[in-house]
Amino acid sequence: MGRRGFAFPPSTCQTETLGREFITSYMEDCGNSSQFEVQITGYFAFTSVSVSISNYPFDGGRFEEKIVVNQGEVVRVRLPESVGIKGVTKFSKVVLVKADKDISVVSVSNKHVSPETTVLYPVSSLGNEHYIVTPSTDSFDSYPEFSVMTYEDRNSVKVHVKGKLRFERNVYSTGTKLEIKLLAFQGYQLQGIANVSGTRIISEKPVAVLVGQVCFCNNTKCNHVFEQLLPVCSWGTTYIIPPLPWQEVDERVYITASQSTTVLYQLGEQQETVTLAGGSVLQLPVKPSIPVYISANVGIQVVFYSVGTAIPNSSHAFLMNVPDVASYCRMYSINAQEGFENFALMVANTPETGAIILDNQPLRDVVWNRVPGTEFVWGMHTLGPVIRSHAVEHPSSPFALLSVGTAAMDSYGIPGSCRKNVTFKYQTETLQIKEQLQMCKDVFLQGSNSEFCSFMNSTLVNLETMCAQDRAVSLQEVARPFGSFLNSSALSAGGNESKREVASTVTFLLQSVELAALTAALKSPEMKNQTVTTESMAIKTLLIPAADSCDEVFSLRAQEETMDIQCNTVTRAPTEGTCQTETLGREFITSYMADFGNSSQFEVQITGYFAFTSVSVSISNYPFDGGRFEEKIMVNQGEMVWVRLPESVGIKGSTKFSKVVLVKADKDISVVSVSNKHVSPETTVLYPVSSLGKEHYIVTPSTESLDSYPEFSVMTYQEPNSVEVHVKGKLHYLTQFYSTGTKLEIKLLAFQGIQLQGIADLSGTRIVSEKPVAVLVGQVCFCNNTKCNHVFEQLLPVCSWGTTYIIPPLPWQEVDERVYITASQSTTVLYQLGEQPETVTLAGGSVLQRPVKPSIPVYISANVGIQVLFYSVGTAIPNSSHAFLMNVPDVASYCRMYSINAQEGF
């Protein structure tokens, strides 16, 4: 059996999930008390949304709630319980959701522990012809229902009955035609005696149609199910249905034809071809773990029914539109529901699965399964149990996304909301900007006015519009709208805004211009080198081959001012007073300090991120077996290669040394250094030479063992260097002892280092160097709860210290661990262990030791940069774990993509 590729016929109407106006209603459900809400997802900053119930009085007045939703936010709006509609009736309780920018909306009807959901389609996607589908049930307490609603004009609706339908106190059977007149924002709810699937709805103007079952009973207790239908004009010809993650029984799929249609239904490897007359509805099974493939010669409607499962693995029934293959999208938003085990179910082209990302992170844990008869595969990914919006996307290939979830006695299914040209990637994500967005959201919610917030809104709208363009744009087009913003009163020092807000406004504007200019360059490959000068600013984009070979010059001229900038300055310059902390790079240096005992194994673990990366590991200036040690390897993307170093590379005592290990690569790599003594390997991440600094503060763990003593090592790179050691504690060097207050001056040649050891704790010792150095700290033999073992870590320079840190407890932790907080100047530190905050003022050079207790996270913040190191003291037998130390990353350094090395035997 060959696999099928698909040619997509043009649809006669668009099916969108994003829009600015939506209408819906809440049909009758089981019992009396229910909670109704709409979940609104934002895609742009400062989106104003109004939720109202048209023509319906609520507590003596019209119900309306206004909110502001930002990009990526989900806001829930609770509706009055009285919005629910009972019986067969005409109603004016049409819920209207209006926004000034695109949003997506999920409608929720929550009865006890059984919320049912549907994606709402905007009024621009409504149609004039629909076919009703209602699930069949044997329960006497249940009956099918549907609701037809019109928008802002009067409308005429014809109902071509199939089955038995109640209307105006009468019962109408198959073949009857009912005519209903509706005013603007009115609707009609109709209910059936039995299945009314195949009933045809024709309207003069577009309508929204909901279908459902008042009380669907099958394997579970009865629960309400409903879904908004798609109009006939948007039906597709090809569908794929993946099985549910928790599925144990046969589910159902309902296939509806609007005309004579030939349908191919393939369940796994088993094919069936059926011919349907217009108005026919075919019910077929969806079995556990087996995907379904459906194709037809003309458009068909496909609705999935999960019938639920009984206790103990109880899940409730739900219904869901199945997206047709032609409507697959490259970017989706889905809402995980609170308290559920949420899943993203995906269908994708076989060769394209590796490029799908979730919330800007690659999907690595998806098992993809073949869909027989097609070139597609299906897979699932588990999401968190909290309500939040997730962005799922592929850079080039459309795929399908369904959001499904299960909980005790409950489940749901919702198609993902296709974002099409809406992308999150170009917007600023700094903490400062996020704070300002929240502040301005509160301003707008209060109905207040702010020059600064209005300016931010205008700038964001322009940036969003620019980034959503599906065409190449010139730098001139980028500059034009931003130029007018520079004359805004929000940038005037004499305006009403604070100096902080003016500074933030300027920063935000420059970031926005930068992002828009980058977008223009990337979308215009033939115009990456562009220059534009306006009355108020000059912008230049320049394509360079590589940062390390950049010798071009930016020459910017505006308002008779000239600025010449080397592009190396642009690509490499850090913010004044700070420096970059990277773990990927091309050159690294390290050494192996003294550890307890005699025999050790030393190695570097090298991880590759690009194919065919050439790496050299050498010991500079140090003879090994009569020659210089050097090992060359090749590492590929995702590979980890271990390079064993000679045992003689280890350094003993307080001494100057030339055993500096140099790792060089022709593409970016990351490196972990390992010192392995018997069953006690200790590790540290190495930082590339580009992340080294000139000022460090030593931290060494305290121990009461007489066999142990603290040590540190300072290494220089490819040039001679001068190092000052401002001693704190007591250390020995060149047969002498030096105490607190002493300053040592040490001269080092290229690729040389010095190892210094102390009598007791050396924490607070300051290292200042003329050129950047690498600094290792440790304990020769750390003894606390366990046998002695060597611990060490590479320190970060002062210029890279952060102000906010979070320390989660270890998974196996049974005793108090330690955290060491170092200040380089007078510093106020907030240390919070669980719910208990403590504020401490530290002098420069002080090191504060505090506990990290089992199962309790630690939060630390400071008014200036601090160094935070975590020490695990180890645990004794029978649950023995050895000590180790580790840099704690500051919150500002958090990243979207990581690589970590699992260690063998752990």
Side-chain angles (χ1 to χ4, degrees), residues 82 106 191 253 305 314 324 399 457 493 519 625 664 696 706 732 740-741 754 877:
S82 55
V106 171
Q191 296 175 331
V253 60
Y305 281 87
S314 177
D324 72 287
F399 64 103
N457 187 35
T519 303
D625 287 346
K664 294 186 71 171
H696 298 75
L706 298 177
H732 59 91
T740 300
I754 183 166
I877 295 172

Side-chain angles (χ1 to χ4, degrees), residues 472-499:
V473 290
S474 69
L475 205 56
Q476 187 72 39
E477 291 177 272
V478 169
R480 190 182 303 117
F482 283 112
S484 63
F485 296 158
L486 287 170
N487 298 319
S488 166
S489 59
L491 297 182
S492 171
N496 296 326
E497 311 299 336
S498 69
K499 290 183 179 180

